[in-house]
Structure formats: C-alpha cells, structure tokens
Amino acid sequence: MGLASRPMRLFRPGILFLVGSLLLVIGAKLALVRSFGSDVPYADQWTAEGSTLFQPKLRDGRVPLEHFFFPHGEHRPAMTRFIAYGLFRANGNQWDARLECVANLSIHVGTFLLLWWLAGLLVSGRWLVVARLWSVAVCALPSIHENFVWGFQSQFLLLVMAGLAHVAGTLTTARPGWRWWGAQLAGLCGVLSLASGFLSAVALLGLALALVIGGRRDAWAWATLTANAALAAFGLWFLNKIYDTPDHVHSVTKLAMALADLLAWPAPRGYWGLLGQLPLFVAVGWAFFRRRETTHAWLLLGLAAWLGLLTGALAFGRGGGQDGILVATRYMDILVIGSWLNLMATLWLGCRLGMRRGALMLGFCLLPVLGGLGYWNLPGKVSAYGDLQRDYIARHDAVVHEFLQQGDPQVFERDPVIRSAFPHLSFTVGLLKDPVMQPAWPPSLQPDGRAGWLSQAARGVVHWSRLLVVVGLGLTLIGGFMLLKRGDEAVSAVPS
C-alpha cells in the first residue's frame, strides 16, 4: 500500500507545480546560454580567472591563496574564483566559460527556492499560486540575461541569493539555531562575493539595534546585533579602495535622481514606476503598527531595507554619467527582486484585507512595473537582441581564433566594438601566447575539439533547454490550475 501510494504523491498538484516551476526557470536560462553563450572566456575572465588562477596552477603547480582574494575594482570576488577554480580542476584542468554558466544556474535555483519559500510565508490561499507564478516569472525573464551568459558573473547571482538567505533566515527565527547560523554564513558568502555584499548585514544591524533599543533583549537580539556588527565591519575592511570614476554621483541631487530612476524601473519612461513602491511602504506600515503582525513586519522591512541599500549603492556607483543612470542588465537581478517584493506586499495586504478596494487600488500601482517588464520582454525585442548578441559573440570568438593562428595582436584592434570586450588586452595576449595554457583552452579552441567530462555534460544539458521549458510550462500550468480549482486547502499543501 505504501509503495503503491508513493507514485501518486508525485502527481499531487503541489508537487507538479513546484517541479514544473523549477524546470521552467532552469530551461529558460539554459535557453539563453544555448542561444548566445560561448565556451570562450570573455572580458574580465582573462585576468580574474586566467592570469590569477589557471596560469599559476599550470605553470607552478599551485595557486597562492591570496590570489583568490585579489581586488577586482572595489570588489574581491573570492567566491566566484573558488567556484571557477573548482570547475577548472574537476573538468581536467580545462577552462570552459559555458560550463561556468551552467554551474551558475545552481545559484539562481537557490534564489528561486528562497522566493518560493518566502511567498509561502507572506501569502496564503489561492493568492499563493499567483505569488509563486510571479516568482517563476521574475526568475525566468529572458531580458535579464547578462549574468547567465558570461562565465565570470556568479558574484551577482551570489549577492542576491546570499542576501535573501541572510535577511530572511535571520528574521524568521526566534532564537539562534541552525537556520540562524546558516543565515550568518550566507551573509559571509555575500561579503566574499561583491563589495556591496555587506549591506545585508548593515540592514540587519539596524533592525536589531532598533529592537534592542525598543526593549527586546533576548538571545536572538543580542546575537543578531553582535554577528551583523562583525559582518558589517569585516565587509568594510574587506572591500578594496573605491576609486572615483565619472559614473559616480557627486551631489545629493544627482543621487536622488539616480535612485528615483532605479526605483521606477522597469517602467520605460518617466517616474510612473515609482508608484510600484507604494504597496511595499503601505504593507510595512500596516504590519509594523499591528503587534500581531510583528514577524511579517520585520521580514518585509528587512528585505526592503536590504534592497534599498543595494539600490542606493548602485545609484551612487552608476548614476553620475551625463546620460543619467547607467543600468546594465547584470544589475537587473537586484532590481527584479524589488519588483517581486512589491507584489508580495500587495498580496500580503490583500490576504488580510480580503482584497477589498484598498488592496485592489494598491495592485493598480504595480501596472507600470508589470507593463515595463512586459515591454522589455516582448518577443520582438528579445529576438532582436538575440540576433545582435549572437553576431557579437561570433565576432568575438573569431578574433580569438584568428590570434591563435596568426599571433598578431593587431587582430584585436580592427573592430572597436570587439576591442572593448578585452579590457586587459596585454594579459589576454600573454595568456594566449603562453604554451602552458594550450591544454586548458575550451573545446572550441582545441584543434581536436577535446572536451572534459563536465564540458560534455554542460553541452548536453544546454541542448535540452527547450524541452525543459515546454515540459516545465506544461506542469506549472497543470499544477497551478489544479490548485486553484481545488481551493485554499489544496494551495496550503503546496511544498514550502
């Protein structure tokens, strides 16, 4: 009876919904890698991985530990380097940027599962299906692509996942336990990923300090205050010196304008998108001033504070240009989590107000956000960008092939657009000329096409991306429809 009933559990609506959602998110991002990814190193990879890690390993037989912590701008992306080095060694000392892209998806899956779990904490009933479908959508958007098709981008994905885990894991515990300690470890991983990784500790430090001043003096409050004070101090010490650049803002007015631009994202024009922030402010105020909602109040406030600090850091670092805020798609993984939180706040209020007129009005505030995301993800826009990106990658890889055949650095100078993809050209040339590096080149640069076992596995996984999307979409729709049809009791059984 037990064995017979076990297969039936796999076809429960909640399981179908979760499995389908996972397959859809993974398949959608693998499809980006398939469409315009490459196994050839790109941009900062040549120095941050090749010259720093792989060349010393092949030349000297070891990599000095301090190489993993070398500065990269104001950042010290140690976690990214450890991941890249682990993949390099496991792949038989072969460097494969496509393999790194596929491996980075495990971080993105972690972010998705955290959003899935948090949606279950904040939303209930049939609206939970909507909340989790929104989690699928923001994690599968094709327009947010950059961190998924460049190998050396895991630090951005780690920043989001570690920050979410740090804030949510800390604020959903009543006392220091395994989840609380895991959350602090996630905070440390964030610090070791990007310079702004310590901002989750700053947000939690501020909340813990407010609670202690307000009278909470239990073990959780003191432990959270102490641990995050230490993490914030370590993060400030660990980041490299921030050198002034034209992209930095130099006035409060410029900072405010850049911050408003980011908070209005993804509305295509004007500041209408700022309306999308209103539900979050209302939800935090509603929860904060109702004592029985304390846990949700601090969770919403903690996530909002962390995302606000990250957005402020981005506004400072990229808001000083003459053309206004410069937001490359690698920063949109941060902004899209803010869009997710705004909808969660709206649905959270709706669950408590019964979706009365007030909650519905707040829902209309999200129309610029939803319209903006729809605009940037129109099939025509996505396909047009895809065509440009494929052409760009083909030209980039052709230049590397030509240099390996001719050994003439001038091949990099013929196309100014492609030249910009080699910011540290002397290091790139040095790597490509070094005979010790020849066995480490990816399959497409090997004369015989030799591929390590992980490279072969990554190529195979990418090949099945479209099937994963189709199967995942089907299971997601079937599971979601069954949950909605069965009602609130069935939705409450969705795996959290």
Side-chain angles (χ1 to χ4, degrees):
M1 183 69 175
L3 292 175
S5 62
R6 188 172 300 171
M8 295 299 294
R9 294 179 181 178
L10 297 178
F11 294 97
R12 289 171 54 185
I15 299 296
L16 290 176
F17 191 39
L18 175 58
V19 172
S21 298
L22 273 172
L23 293 178
L24 180 53
V25 168
I26 295 171
K29 295 307 184 183
L30 284 174
L32 294 176
V33 178
R34 176 175 178 167
S35 295
F36 38 84
S38 172
D39 62 359
V40 178
Y42 182 82
D44 294 331
Q45 278 186 279
W46 296 102
T47 52
E49 295 177 12
S51 301
T52 303
L53 304 177
F54 306 149
Q55 192 177 39
K57 173 60 182 175
L58 296 176
R59 184 186 58 211
D60 307 324
R62 60 182 292 273
V63 181
L65 183 60
E66 62 268 21
H67 282 210
F68 291 93
F69 300 94
F70 274 171
H72 190 79
E74 68 267 31
H75 311 288
R76 297 181 188 269
M79 292 294 295
T80 291
R81 290 193 174 112
F82 280 120
I83 292 171
Y85 184 72
L87 292 170
F88 174 75
R89 297 287 288 136
N91 197 36
N93 289 349
Q94 185 172 36
W95 191 7
D96 187 338
R98 181 184 288 112
L99 168 61
E100 292 182 23
C101 294
V102 173
N104 289 348
L105 282 180
S106 62
I107 305 170
H108 189 57
V109 167
T111 298
F112 169 70
L113 292 175
L114 282 168
L115 297 181
W116 182 279
W117 170 62
L118 287 169
L121 295 180
L122 295 170
V123 184
S124 59
R126 295 184 179 183
W127 289 107
L128 180 55
V129 175
V130 176
R132 284 179 166 162
L133 284 174
W134 181 237
S135 303
V136 175
V138 299
C139 289
L141 291 171
S143 66
I144 301 176
H145 60 273
E146 197 167 325
N147 294 331
F148 301 93
V149 299
W150 294 4
F152 186 71
Q153 296 298 105
S154 61
Q155 62 268 36
F156 289 98
L157 302 178
L158 281 164
L159 176 72
V160 174
M161 186 187 75
L164 272 175
H166 187 199
V167 175
T170 302
L171 295 178
T172 55
T173 55
R175 61 186 62 86
W178 67 268
R179 184 190 295 175
W180 185 92
W181 282 107
Q184 309 321 304
L185 179 61
L188 177 60
C189 290
V191 172
L192 297 175
S193 300
L194 279 178
S196 54
F198 79 99
L199 292 178
S200 60
V202 173
L204 287 171
L205 174 61
L207 292 177
L209 185 61
L211 285 170
V212 169
I213 293 174
R216 182 172 178 177
R217 311 282 170 80
D218 59 3
W220 180 94
W222 288 118
T224 301
L225 183 67
T226 304
N228 286 282
L231 277 173
F234 173 68
L236 284 170
W237 171 83
F238 189 67
L239 65 84
N240 193 38
K241 180 181 178 180
I242 301 176
Y243 295 95
D244 190 28
T245 72
D247 287 334
H248 290 174
V249 298
H250 297 90
S251 70
V252 175
T253 301
K254 195 76 171 179
L255 178 63
M257 293 176 62
L259 187 59
D261 279 336
L262 290 173
L263 293 176
W265 183 90
R269 294 183 180 85
Y271 292 105
W272 289 103
L274 287 171
L275 286 174
Q277 304 295 331
L278 185 61
L280 181 58
F281 285 112
V282 174
V284 169
W286 174 278
F288 187 73
F289 291 107
R290 293 171 67 92
R291 291 185 178 181
R292 61 189 180 89
E293 301 287 5
T294 302
T295 300
H296 291 130
W298 289 107
L299 179 57
L300 287 168
L301 186 59
L303 292 171
W306 165 61
L307 289 169
L309 288 171
L310 283 180
T311 307
L314 180 56
F316 167 77
R318 291 292 181 267
Q322 293 182 353
D323 297 329
I325 186 71
L326 171 64
V327 185
T329 59
R330 60 183 173 275
Y331 305 124
M332 292 181 185
D333 291 292
I334 298 169
L335 301 178
V336 78
I337 299 299
S339 300
W340 174 88
L341 185 60
N342 290 332
L343 183 64
M344 292 306 109
T346 303
L347 295 177
W348 181 85
L349 278 171
C351 290
R352 280 142 187 81
L353 298 175
M355 282 299 170
R356 295 175 193 166
R357 185 177 302 173
L360 288 174
M361 288 178 63
L362 287 173
F364 280 114
C365 293
L366 294 176
L367 288 180
V369 175
L370 299 175
L373 288 175
Y375 173 79
W376 295 115
N377 287 276
L378 288 171
K381 281 188 172 293
V382 173
S383 62
Y385 171 80
D387 293 339
L388 289 173
Q389 183 70 7
R390 276 187 289 272
D391 175 68
Y392 181 81
I393 292 298
R395 288 155 57 198
H396 170 275
D397 292 0
V399 167
V400 177
H401 279 275
E402 188 174 353
F403 177 80
L404 286 174
Q405 293 171 359
Q406 300 180 6
D408 182 7
Q410 289 302 312
V411 301
F412 294 101
E413 306 291 348
R414 288 201 304 259
D415 188 337
V417 176
I418 299 301
R419 172 63 180 86
S420 65
F422 299 93
H424 313 287
L425 184 58
S426 61
F427 288 93
T428 304
V429 170
L431 282 171
L432 290 169
K433 283 187 172 182
D434 191 346
V436 77
M437 288 295 295
Q438 196 283 325
W441 297 132
S444 67
L445 298 182
Q446 293 290 341
D448 58 355
R450 180 185 64 84
W453 72 276
L454 279 178
S455 290
Q456 297 178 42
R459 195 183 315 173
V461 170
V462 169
H463 177 74
W464 294 104
S465 59
R466 293 174 184 171
L467 179 61
L468 291 177
V469 169
V470 173
V471 173
L473 180 61
L475 293 178
T476 300
L477 293 177
I478 292 170
F481 176 77
M482 292 172 67
L483 287 170
L484 290 173
K485 187 175 180 181
R486 293 189 180 187
D488 292 351
E489 184 178 347
V491 173
S492 65
V494 176
S496 294

